[in-house]
Amino acid sequence: MKLLAFLLMTASVLAEAPITLVIHGGAGISREELSAEKEAAARAALEESLRAGFKVLQSGGSSLDAVGMAIVVLEDSPSFNAGRGAVLTSAGAVEMDASIMDGATLKAGAVAGVQGVRNPIRLARAVMDHTPHVMLIGNGAEDFARERKLPFEPPDYFIIPERVRQLERAKEKAAKKQASIESLPPSFKAGTVGAVALDKAGHLAAGTSTGGMTNKRAGRVGDSPVIGAGTYADDDLVAVSCTGHGEYFIRCAVAHDVAARMRYQNATVGDATRAIIHERLKKMGGDGGLIALDAKGNVATPFNTPGMFHGIIRADGTIRIAIFEE
Ligand code: ASP
């Protein structure tokens, strides 16, 4: 009897998927801009995020919950361009975008251009769970957040001095060179956060949250809340969260392109993500990167910028955090 119970237990453990969580904190960083202090703060927040999401997975929770939990930690950290510390529009406001997708059901939720909502990723999840819609924007999304009793914060919670300086610098540069947003260095454009996870049941999920790009026009929406561009998850294939110059990621439907290469070309997650980030986007001048995770636990973290904050925690609890190497 005991032997049977033991065998059954072993079989169920063996049948479990290798729980994995991968996160990113944006692809806009270069070595020159990263002080030791900034790096330490970012690494600490990434580790906290990995541990929080992993706890969910370890206790048998869903990949969706793990993704949400990991992203909330990064939204609450001022080190990244999402939630607290989000970048500013040309009018000096914070307008945030976020999305989440369930690889098991292909359900998704997204919000764009929201102000004051402490954790846009939680609002995206609420759109998925409690409305028949995929995306809500602006006032309508904020009203829905109030209805769901999600916490709001005043502007000075979100706006940190570094982002004010970045906006000033971006404006000066734009005025001097009559430059468009495209000619700004990547650091002006990045810091978005995202997560992809595989749970014990073998389900994948992906989520992304951002303040967008510094000095963006009021009302501009990037790829992060666009399902198939910034975020995608399908249990049969892969979960993807992107970061980078959103206009390019929308035009190339990057997150879905990874899934499509895997579905139609039988590409591995490594080959599919390399092709889109290092070939297609690179040729077009689209700066950025992504994190991707397939249902077997294979991970890819390509970026065509100098660096991308990212981290991985695997089933055995080992953590790897990296910035300048994939
Ligand atoms: N992709 C985001 C956007 O364009 C920005 C980023 O990832 O840094 O809004």
Side-chain angles (χ1 to χ4, degrees), residues 128-303:
M128 181 180 118
D129 288 347
H130 302 291
T131 80
H133 309 304
V134 169
M135 187 188 286
L136 295 180
I137 64 163
N139 292 342
E142 290 155 19
D143 288 347
F144 179 61
R146 276 179 212 105
E147 210 177 295
R148 297 301 313 170
K149 306 213 164 6
L150 292 179
F152 275 71
E153 299 289 349
D156 62 2
Y157 166 83
F158 295 97
I159 301 177
I160 60 167
E162 190 184 335
R163 301 301 184 216
V164 177
R165 283 196 297 274
Q166 276 178 356
L167 177 62
E168 280 162 9
R169 275 176 20 225
K171 283 190 164 175
E172 276 164 26
K173 269 206 149 136
K176 251 191 239 154
K177 291 193 192 160
Q178 303 264 299
S180 73
I181 197 165
E182 305 201 6
S183 61
L184 299 175
S187 61
F188 287 114
K189 307 171 188 167
T192 294
V193 307
V196 291
L198 173 65
D199 62 27
K200 284 187 179 172
H203 297 309
L204 291 168
T208 311
S209 180
T210 189
M213 288 165 69
T214 301
N215 203 21
K216 68 182 181 181
R217 288 186 82 97
R220 177 265 188 189
V221 175
D223 60 308
S224 308
V226 178
I227 297 300
T231 302
Y232 199 73
D234 180 340
D235 272 8
D236 292 341
L237 301 164
V238 68
V240 183
S241 169
C242 299
T243 169
H245 197 154
E247 280 70 8
Y248 290 85
F249 280 69
I250 292 175
R251 292 181 193 127
C252 290
V254 170
H256 186 266
D257 187 77
V258 173
R261 286 171 194 269
M262 293 175 71
R263 188 187 292 282
Y264 304 125
Q265 296 183 331
N266 258 326
T268 63
V269 65
D271 289 343
T273 57
R274 206 173 304 120
I276 182 73
I277 295 295
H278 289 296
E279 291 164 28
R280 187 131 195 261
L281 273 176
K282 181 110 191 156
K283 248 184 240 156
M284 289 174 70
D287 294 334
L290 58 78
I291 52 172
L293 170 65
D294 74 12
K296 294 200 183 86
N298 297 308
V299 171
T301 58
F303 48 92

Side-chain angles (χ1 to χ4, degrees), residues 51-67 69:
R51 290 196 190 283
F54 189 67
K55 224 176 176 181
V56 175
L57 294 175
Q58 233 180 356
S59 61
S62 70
S63 50
L64 263 182
D65 286 346
V67 160
M69 182 62 84

